[in-house]
Amino acid sequence: MPPGWSSWLTDDTPVCRCEEVTAGAVRSVCADGSAADHRQVKQLTRAGMGWCQGRMCGPAVHGLAAPGQPYAPAERLIATPLTLGALAGPGEPPSVPS
């Protein structure tokens, strides 16, 4: 992030679009001592818990929570939805007594 970028944000600026978390909400949990890093901000504000899982807002949330510290995204698998049929596996479904 460029130096001073966080000063461009008003408290109403959305930082996490998926969960509609503002810069003011992130600043608030950091200022009152509730959160010391971006992972705690995520737990308290839901920033980074939406559809993108922090891939879009993670660096910005980290930059507000821990300015000057390098950002290292979490290594995690991308979730893929499965149908119940795929979970049941191949073969005949169990019969239901009539």
Side-chain angles (χ1 to χ4, degrees):
M1 298 284 175
W5 72 272
S6 63
S7 65
W8 306 335
L9 307 178
T10 67
D11 283 345
D12 295 333
T13 304
V15 176
C16 174
R17 293 181 293 177
C18 299
E19 293 293 325
E20 299 178 2
V21 178
T22 63
V26 174
R27 288 178 179 140
S28 175
V29 297
C30 292
D32 69 11
S34 300
D37 62 11
H38 74 276
R39 294 181 195 277
Q40 289 177 332
V41 169
K42 180 178 181 176
Q43 293 169 344
L44 295 168
T45 66
R46 295 194 50 81
M49 295 181 81
W51 187 252
C52 81
Q53 291 294 293
R55 287 185 290 277
M56 302 309 272
C57 64
V61 171
H62 176 78
L64 288 171
Q69 300 295 321
Y71 174 67
E75 300 259 342
R76 61 182 170 265
L77 298 175
I78 297 174
T80 303
L82 295 175
T83 63
L84 290 176
L87 289 174
E92 294 293 319
S95 62
V96 177
S98 47

